Amino acid sequence: MNKNTENKNTAEISPEAYLEELVSIKLFRDGGRYRDNVYVAVNGQNCIIKRGEWVKVKRKFAMVLDASEIQDMKTAQMIEAEEEKFRTAEAKLA
């Protein structure tokens, strides 16, 4: 199969089929906060993903986990920025 055929096949896939494709993921696992399996739900469909092992899940579930991780990082950055503002304001009062 040549490159043009591969691109054509990829372009022809429906959004629904794309979201249903299986992808491999591995969720971080430790002995503390990140030890339990993860429940993920998308539009009434759900799955439980085991931590610490490579598993295949539908792309839509992996995308939800990615979005959640990005949101967690943005939240941590915002908290750090607000803490720095507080420390600066507190130092001005001292």
Side-chain angles (χ1 to χ4, degrees):
M1 186 176 345
N2 67 35
K3 201 167 193 154
N4 291 337
T5 305
E6 289 176 18
N7 290 338
K8 185 178 178 186
N9 290 341
T10 302
E12 290 177 359
I13 190 169
S14 71
E16 294 82 11
Y18 176 77
L19 294 173
E20 294 295 318
E21 286 180 340
L22 293 178
V23 296
S24 294
I25 63 170
K26 183 176 181 179
L27 300 180
F28 175 75
R29 180 187 171 105
D30 67 6
R33 181 176 177 202
Y34 300 100
R35 68 176 179 265
D36 295 328
N37 296 335
V38 177
Y39 173 84
V40 182
V42 177
N43 295 331
Q45 294 184 358
N46 58 63
C47 67
I48 296 175
I49 302 171
K50 190 168 185 173
R51 286 188 175 274
E53 293 181 13
W54 283 100
V55 295
K56 289 192 180 243
V57 298
K58 292 180 180 179
R59 185 182 312 274
K60 62 185 170 188
F61 297 121
M63 291 174 70
V64 167
L65 292 171
D66 286 343
S68 176
E69 184 175 355
I70 291 167
Q71 186 62 48
D72 287 348
M73 287 187 293
K74 288 181 179 180
T75 300
Q77 290 171 345
M78 185 181 75
I79 289 169
E80 288 175 14
E82 292 300 316
E83 286 174 346
E84 183 58 34
K85 282 184 197 176
F86 178 79
R87 283 191 292 274
T88 302
E90 186 178 44
K92 288 180 181 178
L93 295 174

